[in-house]
Amino acid sequence: DAGVIQSPRHEVTEMGQEVTLRCKPISGHNSLFWYRQTMMRGLELLIYFNNNVPIDDSGMPEDRFSAKMPNASFSTLKIQPSEPRDSAVYFCASSLGDSGGKLFFGSGTQLSVL
Amino acid sequence: DAKTTQPPSMDCAEGRAANLPCNHSTISGNEYVYWYRQIHSQGPQYIIHGLKNNETNEMASLIITEDRKSSTLILPHATLRDTAVYYCTATRRGSQGNLIFGKGTKLSVKP
């Protein structure tokens, strides 16, 4: 199994630009999660989907952030416009919906907003 | 979900057992304890989980106290590759997996 695949691995952009992070969950998994990790705040849950439907987006910091899951094999997290404080590592994870807390994480996207 | 508390850091000698504690005194009866670890610059990795019985797998053992207010993750023979941040978290049975992670314990395995 290829695991959860995230792209790009690294993204450097300038303040004000749009950033799109991509995630391909493990085939057959029906829950997908976006986390953000910084030194100050640790791992934060931003949003999660179940069967492609957003269930809880209360962790999304601002309206500048949006996430979509158009089908079971693809999700995006978009930041528009980006700001320096958005610099972080963004992780995507997937799980079988009835497996409780057993998540499989991708390798993350390191985002730097200059 | 229950709040968990872990020591910020621990050291362990290579080849010895690493015992990582976690306090979850507010855990409810239907919440499982989950352990993950994160090796530098990688995504978190699932290790083990349990409800009230002790559990063992190829990676580690999990000991949960009878009152379920605390647990210990045991790495029986720590290696340098076990150096990582270890997270303890809890979520209820039937949860869709929206885990909340604390700061974890930074385990340093030393030669």
Side-chain angles (χ1 to χ4, degrees), chain B residues 47-95:
Chain B
I47 301 173
I48 198 168
H49 73 281
L51 184 63
K52 55 183 177 181
N53 297 321
N54 298 338
E55 302 287 345
T56 295
N57 64 19
E58 66 279 3
M59 292 183 69
S61 295
L62 174 60
I63 308 297
I64 303 174
T65 58
E66 193 169 342
D67 63 8
R68 301 188 70 241
K69 293 186 177 182
S70 66
S71 61
T72 301
L73 180 75
I74 301 172
L75 308 178
H77 306 287
T79 71
L80 299 179
R81 287 176 295 183
D82 292 321
T83 291
V85 178
Y86 287 77
Y87 298 98
C88 166
T89 184
T91 192
R92 60 178 173 78
R93 187 200 304 259
S95 158

